[in-house]
Amino acid sequence: MPDQSDPSPIITIERHILDEQSFHPEATGTLTNILYDLALAGKVIASKTTRAGLAEILGRTGGTNVQGEMVMKLDRFADLTVTRLTDHTGRLAGLASEENAEFMRIPDQYPMGKYLLVFDPLDGSSNVDFNMPVGTIFGVYRRKKDFGPVDESEFFQPGRNLVAAGYIAYGTSTMFVYTAGHGVHGFTLDPAVGEFLLSHPNITIPTAKYFSVNLGYQMYWSRGVIRFTEFLQGHEGGVKGLSLRYIGTLVSDFHRNLLAGGVFYYPADTKDPKAPTGKLRLLYEAAPLAFVAEQAGGYASNGSGPILDITPDSLHQRTPLYIGNKDLVEKVEEFIRGLDV
Ligand code: AFP
């Protein structure tokens, strides 16, 4: 006789997102469908990233993006994939992508929705040539106005207003990790069936094991950040036994630290004292991951306060970022407060 006992159920991302909707009896299903659209975009992008070494996609376009960085073909592909899978559905009122200088309104021929999508289509794209992991980061806001074409100021909302956020990690497997304000849940793509299956329910960040930072820039850091780094290395009453891991793709570094415990930071540097802003973008990278971190029991700061409390005043605003275990991120705030002001 075959064993009739109930094996653990297989939960697809569709079922999970629908179940989450039950937390909001008033929900119309629109947000649910946006998340589902993003999961589909993740599958399409994953299928390309695994073939990125092939001639038709590898290589630079020769252009630069708004950040002045070299645009790779895969960035453009990822950007177009997310846009084309979300712009016509009647769920969004506008999109803002790290790849484009301007935000995008929904084209006239499509119905307009009540949400705004912000995203970094291919985080870590300079790693593509070296067969290293990359990711997509996304955040969903409710638009501020009830009707009419969206304007830029509607994107200038603090991360606290996010209704959902997450990322897709294209690594040894593809994972979709999201929060809609009820915990953080991770799904692994089963390439055989083409579905994201729940593999990491209710992720909470464990005691720190790693720290992740580009130590190559240490000479540009403030005293507080250098002292924090020494603390992580176990000097003078610091924490003992942390390992250093740095991939240079925020999604991958964050994902590892979320699952294993740890802190990632990309500080402000003093190369340009008038613009001590760090490298990472508030809207597309820092705020969505800060929402995930807080939902997993962690914390994200710009060095002086919560990332989620910062209201951007431009689409491509940069910020220092310290993200991961709450005690460690609070520690860096303490060092910065004590030594840098
Ligand atoms: P790219 O998308 O240009 O590769 O930048 C990746 C990134 O924005 C983020 O994912 C990394 O954490 C960070 O930059 C790495 O920057 P450094 O190369 O300066 O360490």
Side-chain angles (χ1 to χ4, degrees):
M1 279 269 290
D3 181 6
Q4 298 292 315
S5 62
D6 185 22
S8 47
I10 293 175
I11 300 182
T12 62
I13 196 163
E14 187 176 19
R15 175 173 162 190
H16 191 272
I17 293 174
L18 272 170
D19 286 351
E20 282 264 307
Q21 197 182 306
S22 63
F23 287 113
H24 302 276
E26 75 294 353
T28 58
T30 308
L31 180 63
T32 298
N33 281 314
I34 293 171
L35 292 168
Y36 199 60
D37 294 340
L38 290 166
L40 179 58
K43 287 186 213 173
V44 175
I45 296 167
S47 76
K48 278 282 185 200
T49 57
T50 50
R51 296 191 302 137
L54 301 176
E56 93 273 10
I57 196 83
L58 183 70
R60 298 169 199 285
T61 58
T64 53
N65 70 10
V66 67
Q67 316 292 344
E69 299 156 337
M70 191 64 99
V71 179
M72 321 278 292
K73 279 187 180 174
L74 208 52
D75 300 53
R76 184 167 296 172
F77 176 82
D79 189 44
L80 285 174
T81 300
V82 174
T83 304
R84 288 187 181 149
L85 286 172
T86 55
D87 67 354
H88 61 284
T89 58
R91 294 168 191 139
L92 297 179
L95 299 88
S97 160
E98 193 216 300
E99 285 302 318
N100 303 311
E102 309 290 336
F103 70 97
M104 196 191 113
R105 292 199 173 99
I106 297 305
D108 286 346
Q109 69 267 34
Y110 302 135
M112 203 165 34
K114 58 182 175 184
Y115 290 102
L116 304 174
L117 178 67
V118 295
F119 64 108
D120 179 355
L122 206 72
D123 171 60
S125 53
S126 58
N127 274 332
V128 167
D129 277 353
F130 313 113
N131 199 6
M132 301 278 284
V134 287
T136 297
I137 306 174
F138 61 87
V140 182
Y141 290 92
R142 205 165 273 117
R143 68 171 301 195
K144 287 180 179 171
K145 295 193 301 191
D146 288 333
F147 50 83
V150 74
D151 60 62
E152 193 180 58
S153 67
E154 292 187 71
F155 287 92
F156 300 160
Q157 303 190 41
R160 293 261 174 241
N161 288 5
L162 280 162
V163 291
Y167 58 88
I168 305 155
Y170 311 103
T172 45
S173 58
T174 300
M175 275 195 72
F176 184 98
V177 177
Y178 87 99
T179 181
H182 300 281
V184 179
H185 311 286
F187 302 77
T188 303
L189 182 64
D190 180 345
V193 294
E195 265 298 348
F196 281 107
L197 305 177
L198 182 64
S199 51
H200 296 68
N202 296 308
I203 298 170
T204 53
I205 186 165
T207 306
K209 206 168 158 193
Y210 297 114
F211 72 104
S212 309
V213 66
N214 189 337
L215 281 177
Y217 301 145
Q218 188 158 353
M219 66 192 135
Y220 302 118
W221 297 344
S222 68
R223 285 183 59 218
V225 176
I226 291 174
R227 179 68 194 96
F228 175 60
T229 306
E230 289 167 354
F231 174 86
L232 297 176
Q233 292 166 332
H235 297 282
E236 290 173 54
V239 277
K240 306 277 183 217
L242 294 187
S243 274
L244 172 69
R245 293 280 192 285
Y246 189 73
I247 291 171
T249 293
L250 174 61
V251 164
S252 313
D253 282 311
F254 176 76
H255 180 66
R256 181 198 50 248
N257 293 355
L258 182 72
L259 296 185
V263 61
F264 168 96
Y265 53 113
Y266 204 110
D269 64 46
T270 53
K271 267 177 288 187
D272 179 358
K274 285 197 232 83
T277 52
K279 175 183 182 189
L280 302 174
R281 295 77 172 167
L282 177 59
L283 206 54
Y284 314 110
E285 296 173 304
L289 295 187
F291 187 29
V292 174
E294 285 206 5
Q295 282 291 313
Y299 176 44
S301 169
N302 68 350
S304 57
I307 287 285
L308 290 179
D309 288 347
I310 306 172
T311 304
D313 51 28
S314 67
L315 284 177
H316 294 282
Q317 183 170 328
R318 295 174 191 260
T319 179
L321 176 65
Y322 305 85
I323 189 165
N325 288 76
K326 195 165 192 282
D327 55 336
L328 294 180
V329 177
E330 285 174 347
K331 197 75 194 172
V332 73
E333 288 181 336
E334 203 181 299
F335 282 124
I336 288 174
R337 232 182 354 257
L339 293 168
D340 293 351
V341 283

